[in-house]
């Protein structure tokens, strides 16, 4: 198993070690492409509370943390 390089992030005077994969933010288009679904399907899931957790940016765009997306996929597998 390949290990991703770790980087150090500074915040509020404390040092934290984070993985680039866990801090990666995906666009709605990237999530839809990975799931092979239409944007309208994603927004339908979101309206019904079935989509992965999203972050709304100040400009109104949505982002999905890679870790939230992976957890959501795992939950979907568990419910099948």
């Amino acid at each position: 198993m390949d290990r991703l390089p770790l980087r150090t992030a500074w915040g509020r005077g404390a040092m934290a070690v984070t993985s680039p994969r866990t801090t990666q933010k995906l666009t709605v288009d990237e999530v839809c492409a990975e799931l092979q679904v239409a944007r309208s399907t994603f927004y339908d899931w979101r309206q019904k509370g079935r989509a992965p957790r999203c972050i709304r940016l100040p400009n109104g765009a949505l982002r999905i943390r890679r870790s939230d997306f992976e957890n959501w996929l795992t939950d979907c597998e568990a419910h099948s």
Side-chain angles (χ1 to χ4, degrees):
M1 183 168 130
D2 292 337
R3 298 188 116 199
L4 294 171
L6 297 178
R7 64 185 173 91
T8 303
W10 294 91
R12 296 192 178 222
M15 185 174 83
V17 178
T18 59
S19 166
R21 186 165 175 89
T22 59
T23 59
Q24 181 184 12
K25 312 282 186 306
L26 303 170
T27 65
V28 171
D29 287 337
E30 290 170 333
V31 169
C32 290
E34 193 162 329
L35 295 173
Q36 298 179 351
V37 299
R39 285 177 62 95
S40 60
T41 300
F42 177 85
Y43 285 111
D44 183 50
W45 291 346
R46 184 164 157 73
Q47 184 178 24
K48 293 176 181 176
R50 296 182 181 164
R53 195 170 86 179
C54 298
I55 302 164
R56 183 168 302 278
L57 300 178
N59 67 357
L62 296 176
R63 294 292 182 271
I64 299 94
R65 285 185 187 92
R66 170 59 77 175
S67 58
D68 289 340
F69 178 65
E70 296 292 339
N71 291 336
W72 177 80
L73 281 177
T74 301
D75 289 345
C76 288
E77 290 173 357
H79 290 111
S80 350

